[in-house]
Amino acid sequence: MAIKDKRQLIIEAATESFSLFGYKATTMDQVARLANVGKGTIYTFFENKEELFNEIVNTLISEMKRVAESTLDSDKRFFEQTNHVLYKILEFRKQHQLTIKLFQEGRDMGTPEVIGFMQRFEHTIIAYIKELLQKAIDKGEIKQCDPELTAFVMLKLYKSLIFDWELSRDPLEKEEIIRLFDLYFFEGLSI
Amino acid sequence: MAIKDKRQLIIEAATESFSLFGYKATTMDQVARLANVGKGTIYTFFENKEELFNEIVNTLISEMKRVAESTLDSDKRFFEQTNHVLYKILEFRKQHQLTIKLFQEGRDMGTPEVIGFMQRFEHTIIAYIKELLQKAIDKGEIKQCDPELTAFVMLKLYKSLIFDWELSRDPLEKEEIIRLFDLYFFEGLSI
DNA sequence: CAATGACCAAAACAACCATTTGGTCACTTT
DNA sequence: AAAGTGACCAAATGGTTGTTTTGGTCATTG
């Protein structure tokens, strides 16, 4: 059993526990027990609880980026790409157990470490959309606009449609959301 | 001194206190003291604390509606009207002491009565924009779309631009916001 | 010498008591 | 007698103190 294995064991145990109970409710004792290692061992691989957490969520964010990139298809029009990417990302967030749990914890308890993760998560998305926008502007596919601000607004709009709207009314279908995104953002409402 | 006067006195005192301290931190004793009436007197006019609160915020919401209507000018194009109305409303929210305090309390402490107010406040705005949209659609000024959903999304976008954006970057100028609203919502990004 | 778990200080929690608060009602004022 | 009042009450809230839990360490072990 090489060193890598123990480290991996700890990461897997911690991921399991963070997914089930969140950041605060996961104890280092619990992680040690789940990973079948002594508690001290964890501290030979990770500085502290927060570092262990960051290692895990960084992996998560990388995975998300990978998902986003895998949906790219430069044959498609810009708006279709953006749409797809945003949809995949928020689907990802909605389906991934760890992401669900952490976003819950951040909203309901405001755990600082978790809030930090949420910000990095969103920042990554915005940075990514920003790049797509910049390319589209350079190619002359869309109008001139502030890419950062536009990416920010796009994400907000998407989140509104997917998360906020269904708090008080019937949730929207995937096709519906794509259609709306196109209508509001690319075509515009004017005749 | 007629009955109306005492009632009014109580409402004014309560408004003052709600504006300064919010809903939870305002005590009925405090209101009685400020209004120079016995505590029991309050209960001859209002069922309980929540009713007193509702009386006051209903007035606030009416005022807001009045502000919105006063900005209407049917000569202007639809998007200019919407823009103006939304801007005035959120300015109102930003400047009115009571509104500021209550939205703070709702966000930071989650007081249920205050959350209720916030929802009614937003619902009123959405209902209003929805009407504007319906008229514009009927007149053929804008494309066919779900007026409720569109109103919802418009409000969200506006709030993002005014409140959320300046949490992490430089706040946007009024003219900037109007321009962006026009760009994203009416013209669209496509060439 | 990597791995461990008993150990520690600090934080979180629970139990207890004191204070505050929304609401009532017997009594006073007009 | 009708309107107005503030002492009073139960329930909620806040503060305090003692106990448990938890992140992190380190002397010991295999």
Side-chain angles (χ1 to χ4, degrees):
Chain A
M1 218 194 267
I3 285 181
K4 251 299 182 56
D5 285 334
K6 282 224 156 149
R7 194 187 140 90
Q8 199 51 38
L9 235 56
I10 291 167
I11 287 185
E12 275 159 27
T15 305
E16 170 89 9
S17 184
F18 285 140
S19 297
L20 282 172
F21 311 112
Y23 179 80
K24 273 209 68 176
T26 289
T27 71
M28 296 302 261
D29 267 308
Q30 160 115 302
V31 173
R33 223 177 310 125
L34 272 173
N36 269 99
V37 295
K39 189 161 57 152
T41 310
I42 300 177
Y43 289 88
T44 65
F45 295 106
F46 306 95
E47 198 70 25
N48 51 37
K49 188 181 179 182
E50 195 173 347
E51 281 246 324
L52 173 58
F53 178 68
N54 282 336
E55 178 85 17
I56 288 170
V57 297
N58 285 344
T59 307
L60 183 84
I61 288 177
S62 296
E63 255 183 70
M64 178 191 68
K65 250 192 227 163
R66 207 182 40 69
V67 167
E69 259 146 29
S70 78
T71 65
L72 279 190
D73 175 355
S74 44
D75 284 348
K76 290 212 180 102
R77 283 174 42 220
F78 165 72
F79 111 84
E80 281 173 297
Q81 281 195 36
T82 317
N83 219 310
H84 244 97
V85 168
L86 274 169
Y87 194 84
K88 273 268 174 126
I89 283 172
L90 295 185
E91 272 290 283
F92 177 87
R93 171 175 156 183
K94 246 186 158 178
Q95 281 167 6
H96 219 286
Q97 187 57 41
L98 177 56
T99 326
I100 295 171
K101 196 74 203 176
L102 290 178
F103 271 86
Q104 264 177 21
E105 185 175 347
R107 177 166 42 75
D108 299 342
M109 311 206 289
T111 318
E113 292 86 350
V114 178
I115 298 281
F117 153 71
M118 286 164 67
Q119 282 168 355
R120 269 180 295 150
F121 190 90
E122 297 225 329
H123 184 267
T124 306
I125 300 173
I126 290 180
Y128 191 72
I129 301 290
K130 182 179 168 181
E131 263 183 59
L132 284 186
L133 275 163
Q134 190 61 62
K135 276 184 206 151
I137 293 171
D138 292 345
K139 275 199 210 157
E141 279 192 68
I142 59 169
K143 288 179 189 153
Q144 201 78 31
C145 62
D146 178 342
E148 174 109 10
L149 178 55
T150 307
F152 173 84
V153 166
M154 281 181 166
L155 179 58
K156 285 277 178 187
L157 176 69
Y158 232 93
K159 279 174 64 184
S160 295
L161 289 175
I162 292 191
F163 296 111
D164 300 339
W165 175 260
E166 74 179 45
L167 288 181
S168 52
R169 352 256 160 151
D170 288 339
L172 301 161
E173 293 297 319
K174 177 177 173 171
E175 287 71 24
E176 183 77 356
I177 288 172
I178 292 178
R179 207 179 56 70
L180 289 169
F181 196 73
D182 188 29
L183 171 62
Y184 293 139
F185 249 105
F186 293 91
E187 297 182 28
L189 286 175
S190 66
I191 298 282
Chain B
M1 218 194 263
I3 284 180
K4 252 292 179 63
D5 284 335
K6 283 227 153 144
R7 193 187 142 92
Q8 199 51 37
L9 235 59
I10 291 167
I11 286 185
E12 276 160 27
T15 305
E16 171 88 9
S17 184
F18 286 139
S19 297
L20 283 171
F21 310 112
Y23 179 80
K24 273 209 70 176
T26 289
T27 70
M28 295 304 261
D29 267 309
Q30 161 116 298
V31 173
R33 222 177 311 124
L34 272 174
N36 269 101
V37 295
K39 189 160 60 150
T41 309
I42 300 177
Y43 289 89
T44 66
F45 295 107
F46 306 95
E47 197 71 26
N48 51 37
K49 188 181 179 182
E50 195 172 347
E51 281 246 324
L52 172 59
F53 178 69
N54 282 336
E55 177 86 17
I56 288 170
V57 298
N58 284 344
T59 306
L60 182 86
I61 289 178
S62 295
E63 253 182 70
M64 179 191 68
K65 248 192 230 164
R66 208 181 40 70
V67 167
E69 260 147 28
S70 78
T71 64
L72 280 189
D73 174 356
S74 45
D75 284 348
K76 290 209 181 106
R77 282 175 44 222
F78 165 72
F79 112 83
E80 282 173 296
Q81 279 195 39
T82 317
N83 219 312
H84 244 97
V85 168
L86 274 169
Y87 195 84
K88 272 269 173 126
I89 283 171
L90 296 184
E91 272 290 285
F92 177 87
R93 171 176 155 182
K94 246 186 159 180
Q95 281 166 6
H96 219 286
Q97 186 57 42
L98 177 56
T99 326
I100 295 170
K101 196 73 201 175
L102 289 178
F103 270 85
Q104 264 178 19
E105 184 175 348
R107 176 166 43 75
D108 300 342
M109 311 206 288
T111 320
E113 291 86 351
V114 177
I115 299 281
F117 153 70
M118 287 164 67
Q119 282 168 355
R120 268 179 296 149
F121 190 89
E122 297 225 328
H123 183 269
T124 306
I125 300 174
I126 290 180
Y128 191 73
I129 301 290
K130 182 179 169 183
E131 263 183 59
L132 284 185
L133 275 163
Q134 191 60 64
K135 277 184 202 149
I137 293 171
D138 293 344
K139 277 199 208 155
E141 278 190 68
I142 60 169
K143 287 178 188 154
Q144 201 77 32
C145 63
D146 178 342
E148 174 109 9
L149 178 56
T150 307
F152 173 83
V153 166
M154 281 182 165
L155 179 59
K156 286 275 177 189
L157 176 68
Y158 232 92
K159 280 173 64 183
S160 295
L161 289 175
I162 292 191
F163 297 111
D164 300 339
W165 176 258
E166 72 179 46
L167 287 181
S168 53
R169 352 257 160 150
D170 289 337
L172 301 161
E173 293 296 320
K174 178 179 175 170
E175 286 72 25
E176 184 77 355
I177 289 173
I178 291 179
R179 207 180 53 71
L180 289 169
F181 196 74
D182 188 30
L183 171 62
Y184 293 138
F185 249 106
F186 293 91
E187 297 181 28
L189 286 175
S190 66
I191 297 281

